[in-house]
Amino acid sequence: MTYCVGLRLKSGLMFMSDTRTNAGVDNVSSVRKMYTWEKPGDRLITLLSAGNLATTQTVVSLIEEHMKAANERNPSIMEVPSMFAAAQLIGETVRDVIKTASDGGLQSEATFSATFILGGQVAGGQPRMFLIYPEGNFIEATSDNPFFQIGEHKYGKPILVRAYNEDMSFEEATKLMIVSFDSTLKSNLSVGLPLDMQMYERDTLKRGFEKRFLADDTYYRRISEGWSDALRLAFESLPDFQMN
Amino acid sequence: MTYCVGLRLKSGLMFMSDTRTNAGVDNVSSVRKMYTWEKPGDRLITLLSAGNLATTQTVVSLIEEHMKAANERNPSIMEVPSMFAAAQLIGETVRDVIKTASDGGLQSEATFSATFILGGQVAGGQPRMFLIYPEGNFIEATSDNPFFQIGEHKYGKPILVRAYNEDMSFEEATKLMIVSFDSTLKSNLSVGLPLDMQMYERDTLKRGFEKRFLADDTYYRRISEGWSDALRLAFESLPDFQMN
């Protein structure tokens, strides 16, 4: 599996993805699941992927090919006029890839399924973020629905639900992401370090701070250990039940 | 869905289950998922169920019927010589019920699936707890693997992983269960109040303290609200990330 999160903040967008991929439990390797297309001053578009690796890599390769071969599918991701159009482009590509893989095969479409988080900003528009389904349709993050998770999302949701607020700084949001990822890593073998992080600051129209958290990262380890202790203290601070 | 937890403690066993059942999201009702068979001084056996309600209720009804009609399947749950034999009895019954429901129907066996937590003590043995699969086989809780969750288990797992220890008192364990259930309730509509709780104190061979937590329960609300605040404080106590 995979775990990826996209956060919509007042100050911009934040993305984090793990890098584990596995077929069963004994064919495990590491692969980047975060892809960025950037034209400074014009657009920054970032895609996070979860699901069948053959599908997600084909989708990204097709998007890349279309950028080079302008006659194939116009406009390409570097030319689409808006984030909405970018989401449509990814959605159509996903649907085509899954359809092709399924045609005439023995497997069901579910086998080839993939889900994406797409976020960024195109000059003239606002920062926007979408969750794109394998069917090619998509929903947008709003202030009522300010973050998206794909992949193994359940373990890391409770802390997002409770600690997220849209006024968070990027520094606080990084801490939140790491706690959410660490809760997932501690409970599920199919999500693994390193983690890729990217920040996008509103209206900059270029790539923001980026970092890959490796297993021995000092900050990651400090949060992971600190969170265990802080949780235990929080738990102890609550009153025990009284039988009577 | 459902959420049920069984904990194995040094001092005994603890069980908690929610009561929500739903077919889709608009056919929601409340049903007890905790069943107890007791012969004071001889045995206390408690079963928690998750999965298809027709299957789980049929399993329990068959176990009850067999108690009355001694010629059907001997020995009944009130007569089996050990907790292991009780787990075998439940396992065989589950497998038969699912097989019968699947025979000749259009649906796959998955539709009729159900999973159980069985715990208790029979005179002459230790307190034991089992997780019983729809296939009828089962695994036992050990000190390496001291709790079982069935149903919608992912949201509530991180706190169990981090705060459980086998020396906990029943009062602390109740608090832990409620935090785990509250994390699940806050993230998933298919798990709902009221919650049923039962404690089994080692070697008592009778039903221990029992309680149904309703939506307006003072202790439940205090933990639920207190945990939100405590989590936020715990989160704030950790250092923010520093970009550099």
Side-chain angles (χ1 to χ4, degrees), chain B residues 24-157:
Chain B
V25 291
D26 57 356
N27 187 358
V28 175
S29 60
S30 186
V31 68
R32 189 168 175 92
K33 298 169 191 168
M34 183 185 289
Y35 307 91
T36 296
W37 295 278
E38 179 192 25
K39 195 192 285 181
D42 177 63
R43 68 190 57 207
L44 178 286
I45 299 175
T46 288
L47 185 72
L48 307 177
S49 65
N52 183 296
L53 188 61
T55 299
T56 60
Q57 288 190 339
T58 303
V59 168
V60 171
S61 296
L62 286 174
I63 296 289
E64 299 274 349
E65 294 282 322
H66 293 154
M67 278 166 53
K68 290 166 202 156
N71 59 332
E72 273 233 24
R73 183 194 296 259
N74 258 321
S76 80
I77 193 130
M78 296 303 269
E79 292 152 355
V80 287
S82 66
M83 283 305 296
F84 180 80
Q88 284 183 307
L89 174 61
I90 303 277
E92 283 163 22
T93 309
V94 179
R95 194 173 44 209
D96 290 350
V97 168
I98 295 181
K99 205 173 155 203
T100 306
S102 310
D103 268 2
L106 291 169
Q107 302 285 336
S108 75
E109 292 188 18
T111 313
F112 304 109
S113 189
T115 312
F116 298 84
I117 294 172
L118 179 77
Q121 188 173 12
V122 172
Q126 293 295 312
R128 296 174 74 175
M129 191 168 69
F130 300 90
L131 177 67
I132 302 172
Y133 297 106
E135 291 79 5
N137 57 352
F138 46 85
I139 57 174
E140 182 171 3
T142 63
S143 52
D144 287 329
N145 184 24
F147 56 82
F148 289 134
Q149 304 168 283
I150 54 176
E152 194 59 72
H153 63 282
K154 295 186 178 183
Y155 304 104
K157 187 172 182 186

Side-chain angles (χ1 to χ4, degrees), chain B residues 122-198:
Chain B
V122 172
Q126 293 295 312
R128 296 174 74 175
M129 191 168 69
F130 300 90
L131 177 67
I132 302 172
Y133 297 106
E135 291 79 5
N137 57 352
F138 46 85
I139 57 174
E140 182 171 3
T142 63
S143 52
D144 287 329
N145 184 24
F147 56 82
F148 289 134
Q149 304 168 283
I150 54 176
E152 194 59 72
H153 63 282
K154 295 186 178 183
Y155 304 104
K157 187 172 182 186
I159 185 64
L160 289 178
V161 169
R162 277 167 151 137
Y164 168 87
N165 82 67
E166 62 179 4
D167 296 313
M168 284 181 137
S169 67
F170 284 118
E171 289 81 359
E172 282 177 296
T174 304
K175 180 169 73 170
L176 177 60
M177 295 282 228
I178 287 187
V179 170
S180 177
F181 272 78
D182 189 53
S183 299
T184 309
L185 264 66
K186 281 231 176 12
S187 297
N188 192 299
L189 280 180
S190 73
V191 179
L193 290 161
L195 307 178
D196 289 316
M197 179 179 74
Q198 188 183 73

Side-chain angles (χ1 to χ4, degrees), chain A residues 152 154 162 182 219 238-239, chain B residues 152 154 162 175 182 239:
Chain A
E152 195 58 72
K154 294 185 178 184
R162 275 165 152 138
D182 188 53
Y219 183 71
L238 297 177
Chain B
E152 194 59 72
K154 295 186 178 183
R162 277 167 151 137
K175 180 169 73 170
D182 189 53

Side-chain angles (χ1 to χ4, degrees), chain A residues 182-199:
Chain A
D182 188 53
S183 298
T184 309
L185 263 67
K186 280 229 177 15
S187 297
N188 192 300
L189 280 180
S190 73
V191 179
L193 290 160
L195 307 178
D196 289 315
M197 179 180 74
Q198 189 183 72
M199 301 173 185

